Amino acid sequence: MPEQKPEERRKNFNEVPLGYTPEMAIAEAKRCLQCKKPACVEGCPVNVRIPEFIKEVSEGNFSEAIKIVKGTNSLPAVCGRVCPQESQCEARCILGKKFEPVAIGKLEGFVADYEREKEHLPAPELKPATGKKVAIIGSGPAGLTVAGELAKLGHSITVFEALHTAGGVLVYGIPEFRLPKKIVSYEIEALAKMGVEFITNRVIGLSETLADIMARFDAAFVATGAGLPSFLNIPGEELQGVYSANEYLTRVNLMKAYKFPEYDTPVIKGESVGVFGAGNVAMDSARTAIRLGSREVHLVYRRSRDEMPARAEEIHHAEEEGLIFDLLRNPKRFIGDENGRLCGVECVQMELGEPDDSGRRRPVEIKGSEFTIDIDVAIIAIGNGSNPILQKTAPDLQCNKWGNIVADTETMKTSVKGVFAGGDIVTGAATVIQAMGAGRKAAKAMDDYLSTGNW
Amino acid sequence: MYYIHSNDLIQPTVGRMVVDAPYVAEHRKAGQFIILLVDEFGERLPLTIADADKEKGTITLIYQIVGTTTAKMSALKAGDSLYGVAGPLGHPTEVEKYGTVVCVGGGIGIAPLHPISKAMKEAGNRVINIIGARSENLFILEKEMAAIGDENILCTDDGTKGRKGFVTGILSEIIEREKIDLVVAVGPVPMMKAVSELTRKDGIKTFVSLNSIMIDGTGMCGGCRVTVGGETKFTCVDGPEFDGHLVDFDGLGKRLKTYEKEEDEAYNNYKHKCRLDGVKINE
């Protein structure tokens, strides 16, 4: 697929891939072998009927194709962009054994974009109203999936969102250049057209508890996400210029600090930026810093390249854009100037020792190898815990030792009758599509519960 | 949208806005705050709730015009709307019968202090209000505070209203005079620090209410972190009130200055735009 050149895209927040033309999509779709037992479908957490939709694409029937995709995936324009296809559907593609696998994700994105830009399919037909009221707490990918599925079945849906814009991590976390926000708002508008009510600026668990919600609704789905940033717990983290990735990305994405001062929210545009961590959020943060005009951006990671958890495509894109990989380096302390502003980070060099519990070789410090990198912005992207607000005032809701809500893996039922949960609040930080997979399972079980009353 | 009922200047650079926010008005407790967005380009600004009317579904916000957001607020009129109001957020004040409570407010901090002082009085405490400002033209809520306190003492740095001097001087006189069970201090960081240093000597329990830089207000971003008793706390969900004897005020003061340069740039940009559009600026 054609892409913006690295030297161009370093300076803007537009999407990196430029998208298929219809001819290119048809040509790519024709590569599909139409396997009788499609392994790709098993590789998809929501089991999109992949060969069927690709066959329609190959024949130029894009409207039919999107209907098939939407049958099991309510957010295809999002998934086509942010799913890790290389470890899911495309990893199972037979063609991939000898050649490149079919670009399933790109085709999914293409048909979704076609629908949004050219076709404007009418809202799906809703089943007759059941009179059952469902509360969804959190409007990220898990919550939106449940909202869509249950609205189609005729239930009355209210989504509560703490921020002023619905979408959760899709709007505050994932940058514009990976997922344009107009795509997310289009999906939310589509749900609103189906009758889903969105109440923004509302935090559940403070004034109103889960019990208050259950007194007003027949069932609830808790999808409050992994919103508790982890810090490195090293000296100097209070300095100006030290950000959690959540704060940095929220400022730039949700609050549009990249358009400051047209938008009022600022972010420090560092001359030299250090990003700590090596997952997708670290890549998003680093590539954002590059686009904000930083002279150099360092990725500081205590293991080696092979252990980096980010998607290969993200690492590749970041490297093309000029990210400096400081691998086998561990931060020891942040250094500030007399005004409390960050000016450097002291690191120590590491070497790989014996494998640890995760099977990855454990990084070990090389004594006496301390050195300093001059940075004026630090972005800490080493993961997130579960947001505890709702659980604190819901004593009957069972959680594990990390604070994640305990839910049945098939039905997503929690320890409280009528309450289901899914997404990062159950699994810990994971992917958009895994959250959507949980949402689909929950929606099915919630519909059963609402129809039968059996818990 | 959040409809504005009234918005007036109560001092040359201090505004009072009454705005529709029925959910907040219904649920808010003393010490809690909201986060507002003035328009779709706005930042998320935390502001303490100065007052609320459950029946009318309105809340009162008192703000000092110091930058872009508050200048934009002051330009709004009755009939306009705010883009967003989220809340109530944060822990309410621990209101109980302590005995004699001294409420110390400085400058715009008198606005958040007002509901706390009122709740302390309603809980049966003897309440002494010490309120101060730099100068008379920055003094707010004098009458409202006077209606609450068993004793009310006013002061200004320049002596233009009440006694000349700082709130800490008056507080130390009162501590010498009688037994104090609790001090609540809300105001600029140096004031809260000085009050906490003073009460530490006599071991008087002291609450301070912090106004950190925030975004989401739900503990998701960690931008409002402050060191309390050697531990990192988030003002939005662990506060906004903390034990004044444990807060690292110097660290907080430095973090509050993070965006000084950007804030000046944005404010100058806004004022320039206003001049071009012929809009009057209250500054």
Side-chain angles (χ1 to χ4, degrees):
Chain A
M1 174 172 289
E3 288 182 346
Q4 276 200 80
K5 292 199 173 65
E7 57 272 25
E8 274 169 36
R9 67 184 196 238
R10 285 179 60 112
K11 295 175 205 141
N12 67 52
F13 278 77
N14 301 333
E15 260 196 295
V16 174
L18 298 170
Y20 283 141
T21 62
E23 295 72 28
M24 290 160 82
I26 290 170
E28 180 64 23
K30 281 185 173 160
R31 295 180 60 231
C32 175
L33 298 175
Q34 293 292 319
C35 301
K36 286 236 167 55
K37 284 188 183 163
C40 52
V41 178
E42 290 165 25
C44 173
V46 299
N47 306 116
V48 169
R49 287 145 55 201
I50 294 166
E52 291 175 52
F53 102 77
I54 290 186
K55 183 159 193 299
E56 297 295 345
V57 175
S58 72
E59 292 167 5
N61 302 326
F62 305 139
S63 310
E64 284 309 307
I66 187 62
K67 280 182 202 158
I68 293 167
V69 175
K70 284 212 163 180
T72 57
N73 182 346
S74 47
L75 303 170
V78 175
C79 292
R81 289 171 167 83
V82 305
C83 266
Q85 289 97 5
E86 69 280 3
S87 59
Q88 297 178 353
C89 53
E90 292 176 17
R92 310 283 193 95
C93 178
I94 302 296
L95 274 181
K97 290 193 172 146
K98 279 196 170 174
F99 315 99
E100 282 291 301
V102 174
I104 300 167
K106 301 242 169 15
L107 288 171
E108 182 184 39
F110 168 79
V111 294
D113 291 351
Y114 181 84
E115 188 273 326
R116 186 180 68 255
E117 284 160 13
K118 304 266 162 56
E119 188 77 25
H120 302 298
L121 289 179
E125 236 168 80
L126 309 183
K127 292 220 170 128
T130 62
K132 300 286 184 188
K133 289 166 68 186
V134 177
I136 294 173
I137 303 164
S139 68
L144 293 180
T145 302
V146 174
E149 297 289 326
L150 290 185
K152 276 191 253 176
L153 296 171
H155 304 300
S156 162
I157 311 295
T158 304
V159 180
F160 297 101
E161 167 56 47
L163 291 166
H164 57 280
T165 307
V169 75
L170 304 176
V171 294
Y172 76 72
I174 302 176
E176 178 77 16
F177 57 85
R178 280 219 295 135
L179 178 63
K181 300 308 149 215
K182 66 173 188 202
I183 290 174
V184 183
S185 59
Y186 181 82
E187 299 295 348
I188 303 229
E189 274 165 37
L191 289 172
K193 279 184 196 153
M194 288 162 66
V196 174
E197 183 190 18
F198 286 91
I199 298 183
T200 53
N201 295 318
R202 182 67 54 85
V203 183
I204 304 300
L206 292 175
S207 300
E208 280 187 295
T209 65
L210 183 62
D212 295 327
I213 293 294
M214 287 309 288
R216 293 197 278 132
F217 291 88
D218 299 298
F221 181 66
V222 180
T224 45
L228 183 72
S230 299
F231 285 91
L232 290 161
N233 294 320
I234 60 173
E237 273 182 318
E238 76 288 355
L239 292 166
Q240 299 172 26
V242 180
Y243 289 105
S244 73
N246 279 0
E247 181 181 3
Y248 187 77
L249 292 173
T250 302
R251 283 182 179 274
V252 179
N253 298 327
L254 176 72
M255 305 311 296
K256 301 203 168 19
Y258 69 97
K259 293 183 181 173
F260 178 87
E262 181 193 353
Y263 283 77
D264 295 339
T265 303
V267 69
I268 302 177
K269 296 174 183 176
E271 276 287 299
S272 175
V273 176
V275 178
F276 300 84
N280 289 323
V281 174
M283 295 302 147
D284 283 347
S285 304
R287 298 175 67 198
T288 296
I290 289 169
R291 283 160 174 76
L292 288 174
S294 298
R295 187 168 39 80
E296 51 188 70
V297 180
H298 297 260
L299 189 94
V300 181
Y301 182 46
R302 64 200 179 104
R303 299 178 192 256
S304 74
R305 188 152 184 147
D306 291 341
E307 288 87 25
M308 288 170 63
R311 292 180 65 191
E313 182 180 325
E314 303 306 322
I315 297 170
H316 169 70
H317 276 148
E319 188 159 41
E320 282 185 338
E321 290 163 13
L323 178 62
I324 301 161
F325 290 85
D326 284 319
L327 304 175
L328 291 165
R329 308 274 192 268
N330 204 29
K332 301 290 281 181
R333 66 183 178 104
F334 291 114
I335 304 162
D337 67 14
E338 65 281 6
N339 299 315
R341 208 157 178 108
L342 178 71
C343 60
V345 58
E346 184 185 292
C347 297
V348 63
Q349 295 192 23
M350 312 290 279
E351 60 188 350
L352 291 179
E354 295 299 309
D356 64 12
D357 294 345
S358 71
R360 299 183 295 182
R361 291 177 65 191
R362 185 192 303 274
V364 185
E365 281 186 12
I366 302 173
K367 287 229 163 60
S369 64
E370 285 81 2
F371 66 103
T372 302
I373 309 174
D374 292 338
I375 54 169
D376 52 357
V377 165
I379 305 164
I380 299 163
I382 55 167
N384 276 294
S386 60
N387 192 303
I389 288 185
L390 182 119
Q391 297 89 304
K392 271 187 185 166
T393 53
D396 300 336
L397 191 65
Q398 204 191 328
C399 297
N400 67 17
K401 62 178 173 176
W402 296 286
N404 296 110
I405 296 174
V406 176
D408 182 272
T409 50
E410 281 311 307
T411 63
M412 310 317 288
K413 284 180 183 172
T414 69
S415 57
V416 178
K417 190 181 178 192
V419 178
F420 301 72
D424 284 0
I425 192 62
V426 171
T427 56
T431 61
V432 168
I433 190 69
Q434 280 171 290
M436 292 176 60
R440 274 183 66 80
K441 284 185 198 169
K444 190 174 169 296
M446 290 174 83
D447 184 51
D448 283 347
Y449 170 70
L450 290 166
S451 330
T452 64
N454 297 333
W455 182 249
Chain B
M1 295 297 262
Y2 301 80
Y3 176 85
I4 296 167
H5 289 262
S6 66
N7 188 26
D8 309 298
L9 290 179
I10 54 173
Q11 284 290 7
T13 59
V14 181
R16 170 166 32 202
M17 179 184 283
V18 177
V19 59
D20 262 345
Y23 187 83
V24 181
E26 169 78 25
H27 292 282
R28 70 100 200 196
K29 295 194 175 99
Q32 289 188 301
F33 65 95
I34 54 122
I35 287 184
L36 69 81
L37 280 108
V38 69
D39 57 37
E40 64 167 305
F41 301 98
E43 61 186 336
R44 291 175 63 94
L45 179 77
L47 264 188
T48 314
I49 305 155
D51 208 349
D53 187 325
K54 260 189 208 185
E55 277 69 48
K56 291 188 184 139
T58 58
I59 57 170
T60 303
L61 303 172
I62 294 182
Y63 55 94
Q64 186 162 9
I65 303 162
V66 290
T68 313
T69 302
T70 44
K72 280 182 172 182
M73 280 177 80
S74 78
L76 295 172
K77 295 177 183 61
D80 293 338
S81 297
L82 292 180
Y83 185 69
V85 176
L89 299 167
H91 284 289
T93 306
E94 287 171 37
V95 177
E96 53 186 86
K97 191 168 177 188
Y98 296 94
T100 300
V101 178
V102 180
C103 293
V104 186
I108 199 71
I110 300 170
L113 185 67
H114 172 245
I116 299 172
S117 179
K118 199 167 156 188
M120 288 296 179
K121 180 69 194 168
E122 282 164 4
N125 293 289
R126 191 169 101 82
V127 172
I128 302 170
N129 291 319
I130 307 173
I131 55 176
R134 281 206 308 276
S135 190
E136 189 194 3
N137 65 2
L138 289 166
F139 220 102
I140 58 166
L141 300 182
E142 180 192 340
K143 276 188 209 139
E144 288 85 346
M145 292 300 283
I148 297 165
D150 295 280
E151 195 177 339
N152 301 282
I153 307 160
L154 279 54
C155 64
T156 44
D157 298 3
D158 60 6
T160 47
K161 186 186 244 343
R163 289 173 51 179
K164 184 171 190 293
F166 299 122
V167 288
T168 38
I170 297 167
L171 177 62
S172 85
E173 285 172 24
I174 290 174
I175 291 172
E176 273 175 40
R177 186 185 78 189
E178 62 179 296
K179 180 178 168 288
I180 304 299
D181 299 291
L182 177 75
V183 170
V184 184
V186 193
V189 172
M191 185 214 94
M192 291 192 285
K193 183 184 175 187
V195 167
S196 301
E197 291 301 328
L198 186 65
T199 58
R200 186 198 308 276
K201 285 187 299 207
D202 300 292
I204 303 169
K205 189 172 181 172
T206 302
F207 292 153
V208 293
S209 180
L210 308 184
N211 188 9
S212 309
I213 293 171
M214 289 186 195
I215 305 199
D216 59 291
T218 65
M220 186 271 280
C221 85
C224 64
R225 62 193 185 276
V226 58
T227 309
V228 180
E231 281 180 53
T232 298
K233 297 280 181 188
F234 292 172
T235 306
C236 67
V237 287
D238 300 321
E241 281 173 28
F242 293 103
D243 180 342
H245 298 155
L246 299 178
V247 171
D248 171 13
F249 288 105
D250 294 342
L252 172 69
K254 282 178 183 163
R255 279 191 72 78
L256 284 172
K257 290 186 178 142
T258 300
Y259 297 106
E260 264 183 342
K261 196 180 97 202
E262 289 82 1
E263 282 161 0
D264 282 349
E265 183 191 346
Y267 196 18
N268 288 330
N269 193 60
Y270 171 76
K271 285 189 276 194
H272 179 68
K273 208 165 143 273
C274 285
R275 280 190 287 271
L276 292 179
D277 297 344
V279 176
K280 186 176 167 287
I281 310 158
N282 303 305
E283 59 171 323

